[in-house]
Amino acid sequence: MTTAVSALRLDPLVVPTGQPLRVAVYTSLADAIRGGRVELGSLLPNEAELGIALRVSRTVVREALMLLEEDGLIRTRRGIGRFVAEALPQVGLELLRPLEKVIAEGSGEVTVERMLEELQPTSDFITRGLQVDPRHEVWVQENVLKRDGEAVAQLLEIIPSAEVLAERSPVLAARLDETRAPGRSLLAAVMDIVGPALGPAIYDVTVGRAGAERGKGIGLKASTPVLVLTHNVLLDGKPIYLAKNLVTHGFGTLTIAQSAQ
């Protein structure tokens, strides 16, 4: 039997600079649901009650609830109300997250090993992806993602030089040294520094071959099929991060959530 949620345990609403209020409300509610502070299948308080609890308008609450429903975290029963989903959808590529956090949803110990880090000239791929002048250099990292010691992905990650970053993200330019810390991907470092202002991001998913040089880094033959994820992340409408990731069959499931329109 489904019962109403009598007390919604929400963290204080935090609204990062530049983030729409509806997104902050969505994040607060989604964290409560995923964190187990709201019973699966339970009836949510109505829009007015949620607005009072979060100190926002009903319009903001309604827009946040629409986002939650699109992501499969809640569902609506006409004439009754909105309910938390009976089972939470698996999080995959629909959210901006480093690949090591995506794979950490499964079992096994996940590690990130740095293979290369240096300032390099641009290529056509980088010039187009980051929208930088071909004369500019870029920071390049190659990281190998391992599960229980077995290589399951190779990450080629790129951000603009400090000169370009100074215009697009002064905070990232000032803290560039922090991106070189071992044990995490470049995207994880960028997200920690820049925060929720990042986005939107686009993944292009194709199928390719490991290739002789790339395959060597993850222990694959050149002809081995791999999934190629080209990742482009924007900040205030400008590219701030570019990656080409090779994912092997050992990585596991990559989930992309969809909803009918």
Side-chain angles (χ1 to χ4, degrees):
M1 179 177 178
T2 304
T3 57
V5 177
S6 57
L8 199 59
R9 293 175 292 158
L10 298 174
D11 293 331
L13 188 63
V14 177
V15 185
T17 302
Q19 185 180 80
L21 194 54
R22 67 181 183 277
V23 176
V25 172
Y26 161 87
T27 300
S28 178
L29 293 170
D31 286 348
I33 293 171
R34 290 194 179 277
R37 286 174 281 140
V38 183
E39 185 180 352
L40 295 181
S42 60
L43 177 65
L44 285 173
N46 61 38
E47 292 175 2
E49 293 169 331
L50 286 171
I52 292 171
L54 292 165
R55 298 182 180 181
V56 296
S57 70
R58 289 183 63 178
T59 299
V60 170
V61 170
R62 188 177 302 118
E63 291 177 348
L65 292 173
M66 289 172 59
L67 295 175
L68 289 168
E69 190 158 10
E70 289 174 358
D71 286 352
L73 291 172
I74 67 172
R75 53 192 175 83
T76 300
R77 288 186 185 176
R78 293 187 180 277
I80 302 178
R82 294 182 176 90
F83 292 80
V84 179
E86 298 285 350
L88 297 183
Q90 183 178 353
V91 177
L93 297 184
E94 74 277 11
L95 292 181
L96 176 55
R97 298 192 305 166
L99 275 183
E100 63 262 39
K101 290 192 176 181
V102 175
I103 193 176
E105 297 289 332
S107 59
E109 181 185 1
V110 178
T111 58
V112 180
E113 294 188 8
R114 183 73 39 79
M115 307 301 292
L116 172 72
E117 181 175 49
E118 62 185 18
L119 202 58
Q120 292 185 2
T122 62
S123 64
D124 182 61
F125 167 71
I126 297 172
T127 300
R128 289 184 289 107
L130 286 180
Q131 295 178 16
V132 293
D133 190 297
R135 295 169 296 180
H136 282 131
E137 293 183 307
V138 291
W139 281 108
V140 175
Q141 278 188 17
E142 287 186 13
N143 293 303
V144 173
L145 186 59
K146 293 186 175 182
R147 178 197 277 130
D148 291 335
E150 179 186 356
V152 295
Q154 184 185 54
L155 319 180
L156 174 65
E157 305 180 277
I158 310 148
I159 58 175
S161 64
E163 180 182 357
V164 177
L165 285 177
E167 299 177 357
R168 299 187 187 179
S169 176
V171 64
L172 183 55
R175 299 171 59 183
L176 194 57
D177 286 346
E178 296 178 34
T179 66
R180 298 165 192 162
R184 62 177 178 172
S185 66
L186 180 56
L187 179 56
V190 170
M191 292 184 69
D192 285 347
I193 294 169
V194 179
L198 278 176
I202 299 171
Y203 259 121
D204 285 331
V205 184
T206 58
V207 176
R209 301 285 179 179
E213 290 301 318
R214 298 187 307 184
K216 189 184 303 180
I218 45 180
L220 297 178
K221 294 180 179 179
S223 59
T224 304
V226 292
L227 204 60
V228 182
L229 308 178
T230 303
H231 197 189
N232 198 302
V233 181
L234 306 184
L235 176 65
D236 295 329
K238 289 286 189 178
I240 199 74
Y241 168 90
L242 178 67
K244 183 169 286 189
N245 305 322
L246 303 187
V247 175
T248 77
H249 72 281
F251 188 95
T253 301
L254 284 172
T255 300
I256 302 176
Q258 296 181 323
S259 59
Q261 299 298 318

